[in-house]
Amino acid sequence: MIDQVTGTGALPFAVQLKALLDKEFRYQPKLSGLRIIESAQDNGLRVTVKLRDFEVRDLLSLTRFFGFSAETFSLAVNLLDRFLAVMKIQPKHLSCVGLCCFYIAVKSSEEEKNVPLASDLIRISQNRFTVHDMMRMEKIILEKLYWKVKAPTALHFLRLFHTLIQEQVDAGSRINLNIERLEAQLKGCHCSFVFTKIKPSLLALSLLALEVQELHECEDVPALKEALDGLQESLSVKDGDLMCVRVLVAKCLVEYATTTKCLKPNAQRLRWMISGRTARQLKHSYYKIAHLPTIPECAF
């Protein structure tokens, strides 16, 4: 049975926060596995940090192409990182792993009518494996993650924290603290391996802290600072830890913004325009793809 985060929208903040924190650690990637990825050499034998980040960017492109939610993308990244942290994956299998994690997240988060066929996902992403390969890999991923799919991600914490702050500040401040902008920034952070080792709750708090800091440079909003301090106290986060992660977030967003529209919350949905001839070639090419080599199930 797939483990899920139960709906807690109508519950008090303290109850919702405790429910998320109780599950947070159990759904984090193993640090030992992440360190192995971090130390991997770029020799084609092991997945590296660079390859992981490229794969996450591909998943973000697919998310935009299909118009899927931020929740789907965040969950897909969580599944990918957790799996990579417990299994030895060769680079040639990474695209299959990534697409399967994405497909699991789509089926868990999106409405059933919006879930694409596996064959369409393969064709659009231009991957060189079959539906059979994908179904086999999906089964491996679910088994290795013990069917614990619906993880408490940084997005859950970010939305919860934002809702609390909205209730504590005036209408003018609410306009400034834009949740769409914050979610767009979180997507940028997901594309950087450095945040795989940071707790989702701390990452969410750091995003808010950076946003409040930037708002204070433009205008004095003491209510926002007070609300943020209250959140920090609720999470028992030290000032030094928050400052360190906030600096990492700021650096990441600056680098990410140079090549993407991450900081523009109203960016239009990505559209891929192809000719009829190209579409026919894509369709036919799928049946010519050789099966993916056997995937060894080697744990760290």
Side-chain angles (χ1 to χ4, degrees), residues 226-241:
E226 291 176 9
L228 185 68
D229 290 342
L231 274 175
Q232 182 179 347
E233 184 177 352
S234 298
L235 295 171
S236 300
V237 173
K238 298 178 180 178
D239 290 339
D241 293 338

Side-chain angles (χ1 to χ4, degrees), residues 207-275:
L207 277 164
L208 283 167
L210 180 63
E211 189 75 355
V212 170
Q213 179 186 4
E214 292 182 354
L215 288 174
H216 265 282
E217 293 177 357
C218 301
E219 57 181 307
D220 188 25
V221 191
L224 282 177
K225 184 64 170 61
E226 291 176 9
L228 185 68
D229 290 342
L231 274 175
Q232 182 179 347
E233 184 177 352
S234 298
L235 295 171
S236 300
V237 173
K238 298 178 180 178
D239 290 339
D241 293 338
L242 180 59
M243 181 179 296
C244 178
V245 179
R246 189 178 65 195
V247 169
L248 289 176
V249 169
K251 180 181 178 182
C252 170
L253 294 181
V254 169
E255 294 174 350
Y256 193 76
T258 59
T259 55
T260 71
K261 295 182 178 180
C262 170
L263 299 181
K264 297 181 180 179
N266 296 320
Q268 293 184 349
R269 172 179 169 182
L270 178 66
R271 298 179 64 188
W272 291 356
M273 305 299 291
I274 59 176
S275 66

Side-chain angles (χ1 to χ4, degrees), residues 175-190:
I175 296 174
N176 291 326
L177 200 60
N178 188 301
I179 186 61
E180 291 183 348
R181 172 183 165 90
L182 289 166
E183 289 184 7
Q185 292 174 340
L186 176 58
K187 291 176 183 177
C189 291
H190 280 322

Side-chain angles (χ1 to χ4, degrees), residues 278-296:
T278 301
R280 289 191 296 273
Q281 290 176 340
L282 287 175
K283 183 175 181 180
H284 295 155
S285 67
Y286 163 70
Y287 297 101
K288 299 177 182 178
I289 294 174
H291 284 256
L292 199 66
T294 302
I295 302 167

Side-chain angles (χ1 to χ4, degrees), residues 134-149:
M134 191 170 168
M135 296 302 101
R136 185 162 52 95
M137 179 65 82
E138 183 178 2
K139 183 175 182 293
I140 292 173
I141 292 172
L142 289 172
E143 288 178 348
K144 297 304 178 183
L145 298 183
Y146 303 100
W147 295 79
K148 295 184 181 296
V149 171

Side-chain angles (χ1 to χ4, degrees), residues 8-132:
T8 57
L11 297 176
F13 170 80
V15 176
Q16 295 184 59
L17 180 60
K18 185 178 186 305
L20 290 175
L21 290 176
D22 286 346
K23 289 189 174 184
E24 182 179 38
F25 178 76
R26 287 181 285 150
Y27 288 83
Q28 279 291 95
K30 288 179 59 177
L31 281 177
S32 57
L34 294 177
R35 292 191 185 104
I36 292 175
I37 295 173
E38 203 169 25
S39 62
Q41 301 297 315
D42 191 11
N43 54 17
L45 299 177
R46 297 291 298 276
V47 170
T48 62
V49 169
K50 186 176 181 180
L51 289 176
R52 178 269 178 197
D53 289 352
F54 279 152
E55 183 62 29
V56 172
R57 291 190 184 98
D58 285 344
L59 298 186
L60 180 56
S61 294
L62 281 175
T63 301
R64 290 171 174 167
F65 176 77
F66 284 101
F68 290 145
S69 65
E71 183 176 358
T72 294
F73 174 65
S74 291
L75 179 57
V77 175
N78 175 272
L79 294 171
L80 176 64
D81 289 334
R82 284 163 58 201
F83 186 72
L84 293 180
V86 296
M87 298 293 292
K88 295 179 181 178
I89 301 297
Q90 297 179 23
K92 63 183 177 182
H93 295 138
L94 181 58
S95 60
C96 185
V97 172
L99 196 62
C100 285
C101 289
F102 180 74
Y103 199 34
I104 293 170
V106 168
K107 290 186 286 187
S108 300
S109 304
E110 301 293 334
E111 294 184 20
E112 186 175 355
K113 64 180 181 180
N114 295 328
V115 177
L117 296 174
S119 57
D120 289 338
L121 275 179
I122 295 172
R123 195 160 59 239
I124 289 173
S125 60
Q126 285 288 274
N127 277 302
R128 298 188 60 80
F129 48 79
T130 67
V131 172
H132 175 72

